[in-house]
């Protein structure tokens, strides 16, 4: 029987990994609850909620990194909660304003970080003061200047207990290591890249297939970069593996940048593809196909070195080569050299050896406009909940200001379509959690003796089912929608009189349901900057980065880190746009290629002459950046051609050799073809849209 729905598949055909994951999750929650109850913490269920969050991606290094981020954010949020509670607990409106401003700032900053685990820092920095202040101001008579610190300490302790218990269970019980997943991700990314390189060199390859490959490569690289930081925490080889994974991601983008030259040339400029170039491309495609099909890293390395030697032999035949042929052979050499580095880095990642590979720290592209939209959305979600609480006074309304805030930050990185789908699934989980808490858990616990063993047995079933859903990315939102509201409704503790009050529990359930529904519609209404605006900003940012390449110490790595994020955003925006044939993604790939061309070209030209060419080359670089935008708008690029002529004139005055001049002229010829094609593509698009 073929099961199509992911939720049905999760429960009817469970995998060993999902069952083990659920068992570990139940154990970590039981441990967190036991410790919280043993020390008689006021609200031990927050320890359970904290443990739930760490169940997502439970590999060793990943859990350690999330725990560090979660505890750090909790401590900082706790300090801010103490400040608000100490000075504003008697004036609810200013307290809500202070919390809303804090949430907006931290939520906006969370959209500016690259690593997904670092979002937990900002999420906990937001949620902790909410828990401290809101749950305390529900009963303001219990608050005094003497009790403020004790209240904050209890809330912070509950969250930290849950984090540490989840980390301990993950590391000690059926431990999984992130480096295993990292190796698989690296191999997948390399295979996808090899398939894409072969497809680009295939004259019969389709436009749709190429963009499908690019989309999967960019998504794989995003996952690889996320996990590369977490593997640092896994033993003495962790930092080396992290550097190797970073090098793989960096060099894969370099390969994608270079292959654009050959693919677009043979598709759009067949008249300049000479028999020699055709033979070169056929040989390159054949070797790349063999590398893609090979399962041996040694064999792949051998094939890459063979192709490298063949290209070196062709490059020596300078007298018989045209300028464009000479340049393209040199470009192919660079591409194969990058491929060799990818294979070396993969070998370093898979072997337990200390890696000597160097990988500067990523400095990703950040768009303040996205951070502003994310911060405003979280600010609005909290403000609506605060308004309802201040005007109703209902303790249950507090949940309108806590859970939606958490989800608002956690979903901020997702595309609009992904958020819509995730929140719908979460609503299903919330709807299931309400009767499960009221008619199953609370009903049984009300009739029990109150023993901890009975409490765990009653809660274990729902948690096990929810965690099985969390184990699979396709059903994760269902599981989160079930586990967290279920915990908050049941509120397991030493004194459970409040959750046993049916009116309070129903009010809390309705508040949670209303909060998630409200968040769904706010995400639908405030989608962030529009597609056209974001595309314009991303292309303009690419031009700025092309200009900033002048003077950068590690320009290739810096540019790749920023372009990787940017290309992923462009690709996602392009998929949401209508009737654009992925033109904007093509522009982004052109920008990536131009950056790599200029990174190699300027030092190469300077090495050929004894005179200082820095002024001419800087002017040429700026003209290249402006030509990128001019071509994207369908305009001519005469300024760039003038800058090229100026470089040639200066070099001729310095009596540069004919072979070197031929190479430089080949670069200019290829770039001119690129800009002409891009400008024509944009003009055709404008005519089509009329």
């Amino acid at each position: 029987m073929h099961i199509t729905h992911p939720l049905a598949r999760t429960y009817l055909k469970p995998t060993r990994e999902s069952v083990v994951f659920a068992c570990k999750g139940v154990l970590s929650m039981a441990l967190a609850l036991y410790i919280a109850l043993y020390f008689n913490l006021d609200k031990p269920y927050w320890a359970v909620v904290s443990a739930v969050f760490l169940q997502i991606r439970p590999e060793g290094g990943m859990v350690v990194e999330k725990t560090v981020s979660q505890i750090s954010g909790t401590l900082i949020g706790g300090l801010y909660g103490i400040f608000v509670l100490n000075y504003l607990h008697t004036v609810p409106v200013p307290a809500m304003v202070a919390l809303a401003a804090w949430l907006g700032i931290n939520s906006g900053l969370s959209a500016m970080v690259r690593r997904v685990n670092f979002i937990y820092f900002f999420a906990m920095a937001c949620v902790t003061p909410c828990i401290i202040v809101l749950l305390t101001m529900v009963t303001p008579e219990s608050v005094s200047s003497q009790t403020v610190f004790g209240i904050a300490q209890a809330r912070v302790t509950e969250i930290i207990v849950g984090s540490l218990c989840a980390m301990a269970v993950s590391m000690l019980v059926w431990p999984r290591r992130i480096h295993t997943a990292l190796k698989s991700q690296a191999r997948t990314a390399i295979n996808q890249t090899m398939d894409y390189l072969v497809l680009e060199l295939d004259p019969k390859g389709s436009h749709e297939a190429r963009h499908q490959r690019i989309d999967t490569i960019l998504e794989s690289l995003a996952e690889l970069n996320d996990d590369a930081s977490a593997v640092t925490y896994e033993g003495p080889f962790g930092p080396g593996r992290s550097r190797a994974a970073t090098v793989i991601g960096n060099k894969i983008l370099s390969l994608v940048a270079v292959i654009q030259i050959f693919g677009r040339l043979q598709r759009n400029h067949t008249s300049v593809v000479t028999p020699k170039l055709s033979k070169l491309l056929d040989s390159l495609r054949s070797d790349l196909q063999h590398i893609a099909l090979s399962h041996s890293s040694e064999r792949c390395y051998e094939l890459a070195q063979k192709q490298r030697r063949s290209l070196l032999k062709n490059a020596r035949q300078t007298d018989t080569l045209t300028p464009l042929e000479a340049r393209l052979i040199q470009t192919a050499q660079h591409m194969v050299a990058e491929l060799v580095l990818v294979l070396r880095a993969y070998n370093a990642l898979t072997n337990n050896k200390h890696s000597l590979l160097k990988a500067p720290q990523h400095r990703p592209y950040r768009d303040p406009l996205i951070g502003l939209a994310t911060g405003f959305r979280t600010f609005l979600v909290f403000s609506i909940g605060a308004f309802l609480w201040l005007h109703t006074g209902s303790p249950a309304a507090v949940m309108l200001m806590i859970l939606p805030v958490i989800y608002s930050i956690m979903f901020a990185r997702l595309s609009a379509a992904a958020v819509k789908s995730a929140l719908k699934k979460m609503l299903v989980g919330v709807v299931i959690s309400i009767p499960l808490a009221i008619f199953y858990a609370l009903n049984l616990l009300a009739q029990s003796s109150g023993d901890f063993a009975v409490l765990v047995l009653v809660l274990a079933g729902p948690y096990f089912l929810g965690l099985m859903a969390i184990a699979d990315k396709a059903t994760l939102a269902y599981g989160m929608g079930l586990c967290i509201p279920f915990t908050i409704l049941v509120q397991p503790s030493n004194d459970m009189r409040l959750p046993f009050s049916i009116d309070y529990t129903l009010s809390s359930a309705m508040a949670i349901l209303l909060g998630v529904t409200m968040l769904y519609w706010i995400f639908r209404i405030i989608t962030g900057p529009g597609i056209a605006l974001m595309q314009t900003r991303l292309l303009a940012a690419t031009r700025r980065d092309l200009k900033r390449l002048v003077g950068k110490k590690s320009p290739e790595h810096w540019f790749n880190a920023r372009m990787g994020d940017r290309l992923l955003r462009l690709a996602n925006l392009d998929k949401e746009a209508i009737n654009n044939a992925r033109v904007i993604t093509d522009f982004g790939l052109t920008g990536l290629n131009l950056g790599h061309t200029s990174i190699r070209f300027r030092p190469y030209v300077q090495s050929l002459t004894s005179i200082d060419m820095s002024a001419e080359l800087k002017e040429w670089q700026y003209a290249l950046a402006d030509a990128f935008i001019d071509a994207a708008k369908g305009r001519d690029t005469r300024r760039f051609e003038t800058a090229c002529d100026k470089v040639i004139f200066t070099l001729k005055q310095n009596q540069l050799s004919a072979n070197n001049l031929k190479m430089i002229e080949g670069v200019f010829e290829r770039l001119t073809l690129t800009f002409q094609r891009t400008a024509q593509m944009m003009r055709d698009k404008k005519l089509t849209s009329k």
Side-chain angles (χ1 to χ4, degrees):
M1 182 178 63
H2 182 64
I3 302 173
T4 56
H5 196 282
L7 202 58
R9 189 167 56 248
T10 295
Y11 295 124
L12 298 179
K13 289 187 176 181
T15 62
R16 179 185 179 277
E17 289 76 14
S18 66
V19 173
V20 169
F21 174 87
C23 290
K24 290 173 65 175
V26 170
L27 181 59
S28 65
M29 292 177 192
L31 181 61
L33 185 58
Y34 177 80
I35 293 174
L37 292 174
Y38 180 81
F39 288 101
N40 200 29
L41 297 179
D42 185 33
K43 293 178 170 50
Y45 58 91
W46 285 111
V48 179
V49 172
S50 177
V52 170
F53 277 109
L54 265 76
Q55 300 311 309
I56 305 171
R57 296 297 305 277
E59 297 91 347
M62 190 68 72
V63 170
V64 172
E65 187 175 65
K66 281 192 289 189
T67 301
V68 171
S69 298
Q70 194 160 311
I71 290 177
S72 303
T74 298
L75 292 174
I76 291 176
L79 291 175
Y80 187 75
I82 291 173
F83 169 79
V84 173
L85 203 57
N86 189 51
Y87 292 102
L88 302 174
H89 69 272
T90 58
V91 279
V93 174
M96 295 303 102
V97 172
L99 281 178
W102 174 259
L103 294 178
I105 292 170
N106 280 277
S107 179
L109 291 174
S110 73
M112 308 290 280
V113 297
R114 180 187 183 94
R115 308 292 190 190
V116 66
N117 282 344
F118 295 168
I119 294 177
Y120 284 84
F121 169 84
F122 292 104
M124 297 314 297
C126 286
V127 172
T128 304
C130 289
I131 295 173
I132 291 171
V133 175
L134 297 174
L135 295 182
T136 303
M137 292 185 71
V138 170
T139 54
E141 65 277 0
S142 64
V143 184
S144 66
S145 57
Q146 289 79 24
T147 61
V148 165
F149 182 77
I151 292 168
Q153 184 186 41
R155 299 294 84 76
V156 170
T157 302
E158 289 153 7
I159 295 172
I160 291 177
V161 164
S163 301
L164 292 177
C165 288
M167 184 182 73
V169 171
S170 177
M171 299 292 287
L172 300 175
V173 181
W174 291 309
R176 292 173 59 191
R177 296 290 178 257
I178 192 63
H179 75 80
T180 304
L182 196 64
K183 286 190 287 187
S184 175
Q185 289 169 353
R187 186 64 202 172
T188 298
I190 292 171
N191 288 339
Q192 290 169 344
T193 304
M194 299 310 300
D195 289 341
Y196 175 69
L197 298 181
V198 172
L199 186 64
E200 273 286 353
L201 293 174
D202 184 0
K204 298 179 181 178
S206 70
H207 181 264
E208 293 77 13
R210 288 193 298 275
H211 276 285
Q212 286 175 0
R213 298 288 197 287
I214 280 292
D215 292 343
T216 56
I217 288 171
L218 293 173
E219 290 166 2
S220 296
L221 291 183
E223 292 180 1
L224 188 69
N225 287 326
D226 281 340
D227 292 358
S229 65
V231 79
T232 307
Y233 297 91
E234 292 189 347
F237 301 116
R241 287 174 175 144
S242 177
R243 290 194 299 272
T246 302
V247 168
I248 290 171
N250 179 43
K251 295 304 177 184
I252 281 177
L253 275 177
S254 298
L255 288 171
V256 170
V258 175
I259 200 63
Q260 303 297 316
I261 299 171
F262 299 104
R264 292 176 176 181
L265 194 71
Q266 66 179 1
R267 287 194 302 272
N268 302 292
H269 306 285
T270 53
S271 59
V272 301
V273 180
T274 62
K276 189 181 289 290
L277 278 178
S278 181
K279 184 179 178 181
L280 165 70
L281 295 176
D282 288 341
S283 172
L284 196 57
R285 183 170 68 249
S286 176
D287 283 346
L288 290 175
Q289 283 176 329
H290 284 104
I291 292 173
L293 294 172
S294 177
H295 297 288
S296 168
S297 57
E298 292 80 8
R299 176 60 179 161
C300 293
Y301 190 82
E302 183 183 315
L303 287 168
Q305 292 289 29
K306 173 193 166 188
Q307 180 62 231
R308 199 175 184 180
R309 289 190 294 269
S310 174
L311 290 168
L312 188 60
K313 181 180 177 181
N314 287 328
R316 291 178 182 144
Q317 302 171 3
T318 53
D319 295 336
T320 61
L321 298 175
T322 66
L324 188 59
E325 286 174 342
R327 174 55 188 167
L328 291 177
I329 288 174
Q330 187 184 59
T331 301
Q333 286 179 285
H334 288 314
M335 189 183 77
V336 175
E338 302 284 21
L339 178 57
V340 169
L341 277 175
V342 168
L343 296 174
R344 281 182 55 199
Y346 181 73
N347 187 53
L349 179 64
T350 54
N351 294 328
N352 289 330
K353 296 179 181 178
H354 289 285
S355 173
L356 300 177
L357 292 168
K358 294 182 180 180
Q361 187 177 6
H362 271 295
R363 297 189 180 277
Y365 165 75
R366 300 178 177 93
D367 193 325
L369 199 59
I370 295 174
L372 185 64
T374 303
F376 178 71
R377 187 162 46 218
T378 304
F379 174 86
L380 184 60
V381 168
F382 179 84
S383 298
I384 293 173
F387 176 82
L388 293 174
W389 177 64
L390 289 171
H391 284 77
T392 63
S394 170
V398 170
M399 288 304 140
L400 285 171
M401 295 178 281
I402 295 180
L403 283 188
V405 166
I406 298 175
Y407 297 143
S408 175
I409 296 172
M410 300 303 291
F411 291 156
R413 280 168 58 106
L414 301 178
S415 65
V419 170
K420 180 181 176 181
S421 173
L423 286 174
K424 281 184 176 179
K425 293 176 181 178
M426 187 163 286
L427 274 170
V428 173
V430 172
V431 169
I432 295 172
S433 72
I434 293 172
L436 201 59
I438 295 174
F439 298 111
Y440 167 74
L442 291 174
N443 184 36
L444 289 178
L445 291 174
Q447 303 174 51
S448 70
S449 59
D451 293 339
F452 178 76
V454 174
L455 178 63
V456 170
L457 284 174
V458 170
L459 299 181
Y463 281 140
F464 189 87
L465 295 175
L467 287 163
M468 284 185 69
I470 291 175
D472 186 352
K473 186 182 291 187
T475 57
L476 186 149
Y478 292 114
M480 294 295 288
L482 172 62
C483 288
I484 296 177
F486 177 79
T487 304
I488 292 174
L489 291 175
V490 176
Q491 294 187 14
S493 60
N494 287 320
D495 181 7
M496 295 185 62
R497 284 176 296 179
L498 197 58
F500 285 152
S501 174
I502 190 64
D503 57 339
Y504 172 81
T505 304
L506 277 175
S507 298
S508 298
M510 292 303 102
I512 293 172
L513 194 61
L514 177 61
V516 178
T517 304
M518 177 182 69
L519 183 64
Y520 171 81
W521 284 108
I522 286 178
F523 263 104
R524 292 292 303 273
I525 296 169
I526 305 175
T527 57
I531 294 174
L533 175 60
M534 281 306 303
Q535 287 175 338
T536 302
R537 288 178 62 84
L538 289 166
L539 292 176
T542 302
R543 174 172 64 175
R544 288 196 301 272
D545 283 355
L546 285 171
K547 292 183 177 181
R548 292 170 64 192
L549 280 172
V550 178
K552 285 289 179 183
K553 288 185 178 180
S554 301
E556 182 179 340
H557 195 91
W558 176 84
F559 191 65
N560 278 345
R562 294 173 66 79
M563 284 302 297
D565 287 349
R566 194 175 295 136
L567 279 169
L568 184 57
R569 289 189 186 277
L570 282 170
N572 288 334
L573 289 169
D574 229 355
K575 285 186 284 189
E576 295 175 16
I578 301 173
N579 297 328
N580 61 2
R582 304 301 298 275
V583 170
I584 300 299
T585 305
D586 284 333
F587 287 164
L589 291 171
T590 298
L592 178 67
N593 172 256
L594 294 176
H596 278 266
T597 300
S598 65
I599 286 168
R600 292 190 176 91
F601 177 74
R602 286 181 290 103
Y604 171 71
V605 171
Q606 187 59 73
S607 69
L608 297 177
T609 178
S610 58
I611 64 171
D612 184 11
M613 293 279 295
S614 57
E616 289 84 355
L617 291 173
K618 182 177 181 180
E619 182 183 345
W620 179 86
Q621 181 75 31
Y622 279 34
L624 178 80
D626 290 336
F628 168 69
I629 291 296
D630 288 337
K633 293 179 180 179
R635 300 198 292 251
D636 64 62
T637 56
R638 292 176 185 174
R639 182 191 167 192
F640 173 69
E641 294 170 16
T642 302
C644 292
D645 293 339
K646 188 174 182 179
V647 171
I648 291 290
F649 178 76
T650 305
L651 291 172
K652 282 183 177 179
Q653 279 190 322
N654 199 43
Q655 298 180 344
L656 196 66
S657 69
N659 287 333
N660 288 330
L661 275 174
K662 182 188 291 186
M663 188 71 70
I664 293 169
E665 288 170 353
V667 174
F668 293 161
E669 182 182 352
R670 200 276 297 175
L671 290 174
T672 301
L673 289 172
T674 296
F675 289 134
Q676 288 174 352
R677 183 190 66 252
T678 303
Q680 187 60 49
M681 180 174 63
M682 191 61 200
R683 287 193 289 268
D684 292 342
K685 179 178 180 291
K686 287 181 179 178
L687 288 173
T688 305
S689 59
K690 286 182 179 180

